[in-house]
Amino acid sequence: MDSTRVTEHPTSFDRPMTGADPTDPRGALMRTPVEPRASGSAGSALPAQGRAGETPPTAATDSPGAYEHAQPGAEQAAEPDTHRPRPAAEGVPVQPGGMPATPAAPPATDRRAAPEPERRTGQPTAPGQPTPMRRDGDRLRFVGAATRRIARGMDLDEIVMGLCRATVPTFADAILVYLREPLPVGDERPTGPLVLRLRRTDRIPAERDTEGGFIPAAQPEPSELEAVGSELCEVRPGSALAEVLRGVRPVFTDTPAARAALPELLGDGGEFAVPDGRRAILAPLRGRRRVIGAALFLRGPERVAFEADDLLVAAQLATHSALGIDKAVLYGREAYIADESQRTMLPENLPRCTGVRLASRYLPAAETARVGGDWYDAIPLPGSRVALVVGDVMGHSMTSAAIMGQLRTTAQTLAGLDLPPQEVLHHLDEQAQRLGTDRMATCLYAVYDPVSHRITVANAGHPPPVLLHLGGHAEVLRVPAGAPIGVGGVDFEAVELDAPAGATLLLYTDGLVESRLRDVWTGIEQLRERLAATAQLTGPDHPPPLEALCDEVLDMLGPGDRDDDIALLAARFDGIAPSDVAYWFLDPEDAAPGRARRLARRALARWGMEDLTDAVELLVSEVVTNAVRYASRPVTLRLLRTDVLRCEVGDDVPQLPRLRQARATDEGGRGLYLVNRLARRWGATRLSTGKVVWFELNRG
């Protein structure tokens, strides 16, 4: 049953017809004629309630049209009972002018006849108009439907639109909604003056607006009003508008205070767009702690004016809208914080590494829960290597995202120490245990060396990677599964595999291959087939574009396959050809800098890069001199020719050099200053066996 449908059921105290099932809902409409009984006799009908201070008339002598719940058949001489009209559609109250006039009941001659019903204003209801109970029921149904429509909105625009669509044309012909600029969030104390901005307007089709003296607020669009006067309104302290907003309760605009507030709200001349009399209501929008806006309801002259009870309706609409706006703003702030947290915990841009190209994707589990524990990373390592990491913390909440951020930071720190992959996972396991006993995660850590064309992989309970070869063959790499991070007391194993040039390694989380509709190994097989089919489209000699390959992989997700976050990292192995690498060992002696200069000069001549000879000789001499001064073992010198010229000098001293300004009397300390000025980039990385100092030069 639809909980939003309000159905009016006729009631009767008469017995159902003979043979009718009392449980049949139609039984309330099947009544037997009842002989009129004298007042006070046994079994007489229930007396109707009268006004205070009056003697309630008996139902036996009431006019059949006097009260809504008068009993049919109670008066034989009265007109035949007519069916009550069916309730209007949800949220559409019957307007006073919308019901056809019905013949008035004949005047009762008995002194006990019911008095003519009165409205709350004390005036008698005109013939053919809804009775007070009927009108109150319409208002209640409208308020219920309108508040449900407003409550369905999740963000600010949906709530404001819900207010406009629920109000026009049922309650008003036009509406203008003003909101505070900026809107305060939660318990924040606003700073600066109170400024209202026209957020949205709405109106019914305007064919009749120019007739009868109703001046349109602006040239209408099919469903929206244009701005009236200025869109921004600064509420001055002590002004008429400030007093109306401080009062919180809706008011008719024919009151002196509201009439004085309209020019300030609508701008110069805007008050003339508001109809005279009680055809406009100004309702402040108050959230939990402060006024956050105002709503102006307008009715045209061809429609009945607002009544006193309509102020209660406007108050209900304003209250529900303001509370919804408060919650939407607070929800938006929390969603923004969650998005920012997730974005900062994931790499904003992947690094440009020598010999490998990278692409990545991240998809949250749902739009309403955009944070999770999945992560990926690519970390440059000494020797032109790169560490490829993908992990998945259990759950997809802010807690999972926070744990993910800590594990990712720990992995980056361990990678900077150039530890083997299995050692990195071992330290991550210890870190997860320090965070808590139930902090579980899976992780896959791989190190790619573009010089040797090899990759070393260690796994901690993560789905295995898939390697797509240049010819189109896709294989699932056989790596030890291992135990998840956080179990403790387990050993991790690393395997070394070939990584041929042109191949593509795909690392992913289980959200890509596992769902309610398929198990993880079925998903892995579907992923392998999808990669192979995509590679066939580009031919055996050309690998598929990396970004397009990631999109194709995500396209394999069908309806019902998004149960978890998805992190995807793709690495295209270009490698470095052996002819582009020059490698030497230098003994730590005084002649080492001179020998390094000669070796570098020969390599540059072989590569046709003689224009870089002077700069390379100078920088190599300075770096090698610093290395042999403190080293006790042979120093390594390596030149790599890629899109840039890279020089790496390694020694067994763990202390990293730092750039400093040498004094005029210092004999040394200027080598790194020259490297910093002449090189494109430079850096120093600590290794388990010492350190590596490197610099890069543009190839010209």
Side-chain angles (χ1 to χ4, degrees):
M1 177 178 178
D2 188 0
S3 60
T4 63
R5 178 66 62 181
V6 179
T7 305
E8 189 176 21
H9 295 285
T11 58
S12 173
F13 297 99
D14 295 334
R15 292 174 299 177
M17 295 179 61
T18 303
D21 186 0
T23 62
D24 189 346
R26 298 172 298 174
L29 300 177
M30 297 185 292
R31 307 183 180 93
T32 57
V34 179
E35 293 294 332
R37 296 185 175 94
S39 175
S41 62
S44 62
L46 293 178
Q49 295 181 356
R51 294 168 57 90
E54 298 179 358
T55 302
T58 60
T61 56
D62 285 348
S63 172
Y67 287 92
E68 186 177 16
H69 291 300
Q71 299 299 321
E75 183 63 57
Q76 294 288 346
E79 292 183 8
D81 180 31
T82 57
H83 290 293
R84 293 168 54 192
R86 295 178 62 84
E90 180 184 76
V92 183
V94 179
Q95 298 299 329
M99 294 183 59
T102 57
T109 58
D110 197 302
R111 63 182 181 85
R112 295 174 298 174
E116 186 178 18
E118 295 180 2
R119 300 166 64 180
R120 293 189 180 183
T121 58
Q123 302 297 327
T125 303
Q129 299 296 332
T131 62
M133 186 176 295
R134 177 66 177 172
R135 184 173 302 225
D136 290 345
D138 288 335
R139 287 194 177 97
L140 289 175
R141 283 192 294 273
F142 165 69
V143 171
T147 52
R148 285 192 298 271
R149 187 165 191 173
I150 294 171
R152 283 197 293 264
M154 288 294 295
D155 58 17
L156 181 61
D157 292 333
E158 289 179 351
I159 292 174
V160 175
M161 181 182 294
L163 171 63
C164 295
R165 293 292 186 257
T167 302
V168 179
T170 306
F171 181 69
D173 293 337
I175 182 175
L176 292 86
V177 181
Y178 290 83
L179 294 182
R180 191 165 189 155
E181 179 75 15
L183 280 168
V185 181
D187 297 333
E188 288 184 358
R189 185 176 297 275
T191 59
L194 173 58
V195 178
L196 300 181
R197 177 184 289 275
L198 182 61
R199 183 78 184 193
R200 185 178 179 87
T201 62
D202 207 350
R203 69 182 304 162
I204 61 176
E207 294 85 2
R208 56 180 180 172
D209 285 352
T210 56
E211 300 176 1
F214 177 40
I215 304 175
Q219 293 298 325
E221 294 295 335
S223 62
E224 295 184 357
L225 284 170
E226 304 243 348
V228 178
S230 176
E231 290 189 1
L232 287 178
C233 164
E234 181 176 345
V235 182
R236 298 183 299 274
S239 64
L241 180 57
E243 294 300 324
V244 172
L245 296 179
R246 187 179 295 112
V248 177
R249 297 182 181 276
V251 295
F252 292 116
T253 56
D254 62 348
T255 61
R259 203 68 191 178
L262 287 179
E264 186 177 355
L265 178 66
L266 303 179
D268 296 337
E271 70 274 14
F272 298 107
V274 179
D276 295 330
R278 293 189 170 184
R279 299 187 181 277
I281 295 178
L282 180 59
L285 302 178
R286 180 177 177 82
R288 291 179 298 173
R289 295 183 178 272
R290 59 187 64 85
V291 173
I292 60 174
L296 183 63
F297 304 94
L298 304 173
R299 277 188 182 178
E302 71 280 3
R303 190 170 182 175
V304 67
F306 288 113
E307 301 175 358
D309 289 344
D310 291 326
L311 291 178
L312 301 177
V313 175
Q316 288 288 328
L317 297 177
T319 299
H320 283 275
S321 300
L323 293 178
I325 290 171
D326 254 356
K327 294 179 181 179
V329 173
L330 189 60
Y331 170 78
R333 170 63 64 86
E334 293 179 352
Y336 171 78
I337 293 174
D339 286 346
E340 286 297 304
S341 300
Q342 182 75 53
R343 187 185 63 81
T344 55
M345 291 177 186
L346 294 174
E348 185 174 358
N349 295 304
L350 293 174
R352 296 186 59 184
C353 303
T354 303
V356 61
R357 286 174 287 171
L358 303 171
S360 63
R361 295 289 187 275
Y362 175 80
L363 294 179
E367 290 296 325
T368 56
R370 298 185 60 86
V371 294
D374 293 17
W375 91 91
Y376 61 89
D377 211 344
I379 309 168
L381 299 178
S384 300
R385 296 170 300 153
V386 59
L388 306 174
V389 191
V390 64
D392 183 4
V393 178
M394 181 177 58
H396 41 80
S397 62
M398 286 296 296
T399 303
S400 302
I403 297 173
M404 176 269 288
Q406 297 183 62
L407 293 180
R408 177 175 177 248
T409 302
T410 303
Q412 288 181 329
T413 304
L414 297 172
L417 299 177
D418 198 29
L419 297 179
Q422 65 272 21
E423 291 296 325
V424 172
L425 295 183
H426 175 72
H427 288 291
L428 284 177
D429 180 59
E430 293 180 340
Q431 175 67 11
Q433 294 179 68
R434 285 190 290 268
L435 295 177
T437 56
D438 57 343
R439 307 309 188 191
M440 305 288 291
T442 63
C443 182
L444 191 143
Y445 189 94
V447 176
Y448 170 65
D449 189 344
V451 176
S452 63
H453 297 269
R454 303 281 288 178
I455 184 170
T456 306
V457 185
N459 190 13
H462 202 78
V466 179
L467 184 65
L468 177 63
H469 293 269
L470 184 60
H473 172 64
E475 64 170 328
V476 180
L477 297 183
R478 298 180 178 273
V479 297
I485 291 174
V487 173
V490 297
D491 191 20
F492 299 99
E493 182 182 355
V495 294
E496 188 173 352
L497 305 170
D498 289 329
T504 304
L505 183 69
L506 197 70
L507 309 180
Y508 53 91
T509 55
D510 58 355
L512 180 65
V513 295
E514 185 180 19
S515 69
R516 296 187 301 267
L517 305 179
R518 61 186 179 187
D519 61 83
V520 61
W521 290 108
T522 301
I524 292 175
E525 180 61 22
Q526 292 178 358
L527 174 61
R528 188 193 66 80
E529 294 175 354
R530 187 62 175 260
L531 290 174
T534 304
Q536 295 296 330
L537 299 177
T538 58
D541 299 330
H542 298 86
L546 207 56
E547 296 290 342
L549 182 65
C550 292
D551 294 335
E552 286 291 330
V553 169
L554 294 180
D555 285 343
M556 65 178 286
L557 298 172
D561 291 346
R562 291 287 306 282
D563 298 332
D564 199 0
D565 308 336
I566 298 175
L568 179 65
L569 179 63
R572 173 71 45 76
F573 299 143
D574 294 332
I576 301 177
S579 58
D580 293 329
V581 180
Y583 192 85
W584 305 279
F585 287 94
L586 303 175
D587 293 329
E589 56 187 13
D590 295 341
R595 182 166 179 247
R597 290 194 295 270
R598 292 192 299 271
L599 295 174
R601 187 185 311 116
R602 294 173 186 172
L604 294 177
R606 185 171 65 251
W607 291 335
M609 304 172 63
E610 291 84 354
D611 54 336
L612 297 178
T613 300
D614 293 339
V616 171
E617 286 187 359
L618 176 60
L619 298 183
V620 165
S621 179
E622 293 293 339
V623 176
V624 171
T625 299
N626 290 336
V628 300
R629 179 176 297 178
Y630 306 102
S632 58
R633 295 182 180 179
V635 175
T636 61
L637 172 63
R638 185 166 72 168
L639 295 180
L640 301 173
R641 183 184 64 169
T642 56
D643 54 342
V644 296
L645 179 66
R646 181 183 177 97
C647 176
E648 300 173 351
V649 177
D651 58 64
D652 60 345
V653 181
Q655 287 78 16
L656 299 180
R658 60 184 181 89
L659 183 65
R660 64 184 180 89
Q661 188 69 36
R663 295 189 298 263
T665 57
D666 291 342
E667 295 182 359
R670 297 177 179 83
L672 287 182
Y673 179 77
L674 293 175
V675 174
N676 185 63
R677 293 300 300 268
L678 298 179
R680 173 178 175 268
R681 288 195 314 159
W682 76 278
T685 305
R686 183 179 285 110
L687 305 177
S688 57
T689 57
K691 68 174 181 295
V692 169
V693 180
W694 57 270
F695 63 86
E696 293 177 352
L697 295 172
N698 293 323
R699 295 181 56 176

